[in-house]
Amino acid sequence: MTENLQQTKEILKQNFPIFNNESLIDRIANHARVFKNEKEELIVDLGDFPKWIPLVTKGALKISRADSDGGEIFLYYLYPGQTCAMTLNCCMIDKPSEIRAVAEAGTEYIGLPRKSLAEWMMEFEEWRQFTLESYNDRYENLLATIDAIAFHKLDERLLGLLQDKSIALGSTKVEITHKKLAEELHSSREVVSRLLKQLEKVGKVSLQRNQIELIDF
DNA sequence: ACATTAATTGTGT
DNA sequence: ACACAATTAATGT
């Protein structure tokens, strides 16, 4: 048990250097629960009241949202050292989740109990800083997305999405169809196929059936 | 091994 | 966006 606790602290220090405060790390480690996901797993669904705030330590969480026609729209990935701003928000003001979080295979995260957050917020400058930075990251990301949509930079969005997926899967080879990519970007399959062709021409990707390989990035 | 079908990708309009 | 062709994978016989 004690060695588990030590281990948790080590993982925390490695992935969240911002928590540079022994008593905060102690408190987190003492209340945390470590989650490991062997395969793809649903962590939070729409409408859930999340009990745990995830601090990602390995792999990636895929955050998405339902759109008006029941489709699913990808929002962003969370990588080690990050947490879910949306879930934080839900927990603070006690409302159901508007997003869905799915863990990629092999993802690990430390779950923090919902009720501790308000306390820590008051008590630890480091924690306050961390949550505010999380919100800020998301906000910047949102602005960048709006920019890309407003200026019709679909090619950039496509490449960005592929790079995201590549990082999340820890491989330069992404197994996905053009159709699925088009759905995530809310575009049509033909447009995505043609853009991919262009990206292949300029040597950014290599195309196989059901698989896209990212080159030199 | 071969034929049949289904799914994915490519192209022209 | 739509229609259709071409290619490749999956399945049955």
Side-chain angles (χ1 to χ4, degrees):
Chain A
M1 225 23 171
T2 318
E3 58 279 22
N4 255 340
L5 209 75
Q6 275 309 320
Q7 211 178 328
T8 306
K9 286 192 198 176
E10 273 313 305
I11 295 172
L12 267 172
K13 284 179 193 170
Q14 273 173 30
N15 291 285
F16 297 86
I18 188 175
F19 299 151
N20 188 21
N21 178 326
E22 277 301 322
S23 61
L24 173 58
I25 290 177
D26 265 352
R27 287 281 279 286
I28 293 178
N30 275 303
H31 291 83
R33 201 182 130 188
V34 176
F35 295 82
K36 299 187 179 184
N37 301 278
E38 299 303 328
K39 47 186 175 151
E40 279 215 353
E41 206 166 316
L42 180 66
I43 302 203
V44 183
D45 206 350
L46 277 89
D48 283 0
F49 288 87
K51 300 240 176 340
W52 302 91
I53 314 301
L55 297 182
V56 183
T57 54
K58 187 167 175 234
L61 297 184
K62 183 164 55 182
I63 309 299
S64 56
R65 183 181 189 288
D67 70 6
S68 43
D69 15 285
E72 198 173 312
I73 175 168
F74 163 83
L75 294 179
Y76 51 82
Y77 280 106
L78 292 176
Y79 301 112
Q82 299 185 311
T83 191
C84 181
M86 190 66 212
T87 304
L88 271 176
N89 196 26
C90 286
C91 290
M92 296 299 274
I93 62 177
D94 205 24
K95 66 170 190 180
S97 173
E98 292 174 30
I99 54 98
R100 171 178 295 164
V102 179
E104 294 287 350
T107 295
E108 297 180 13
Y109 64 95
I110 296 176
L112 309 181
R114 192 174 70 84
K115 62 190 186 70
S116 305
L117 298 189
E119 261 177 62
W120 297 351
M121 195 72 132
M122 310 271 283
E123 205 167 336
F124 297 104
E125 171 62 26
E126 291 83 358
W127 178 259
R128 192 158 57 235
Q129 194 70 27
F130 174 67
T131 55
L132 288 176
E133 269 176 27
S134 296
Y135 282 123
N136 187 246
D137 286 352
R138 264 18 292 176
Y139 193 76
E140 303 246 308
N141 184 265
L142 190 60
L143 286 181
T145 306
I146 290 175
D147 269 4
I149 293 174
F151 294 107
H152 302 114
K153 293 177 179 173
L154 191 58
D155 54 341
E156 286 179 16
R157 284 206 289 149
L158 175 59
L159 193 57
L161 178 59
L162 286 171
Q163 291 173 344
D164 263 359
K165 288 191 176 300
S166 164
I167 293 167
L169 299 168
S171 158
T172 58
K173 290 176 182 165
V174 179
E175 290 210 6
I176 193 161
T177 64
H178 302 180
K179 186 164 169 290
K180 292 231 164 76
L181 284 172
E183 281 164 8
E184 297 204 0
L185 294 167
H186 274 205
S187 175
S188 68
R189 199 267 311 158
E190 293 92 319
V191 170
V192 168
S193 285
R194 285 176 171 132
L195 284 174
L196 283 170
K197 208 79 186 295
Q198 291 302 307
L199 289 175
E200 187 179 40
K201 221 174 223 172
V202 296
K204 298 253 183 200
V205 299
S206 133
L207 302 175
Q208 279 87 45
R209 188 189 175 89
N210 284 319
Q211 177 184 285
I212 298 163
E213 184 176 0
L214 282 272
I215 316 277
D216 86 49
F217 107 88

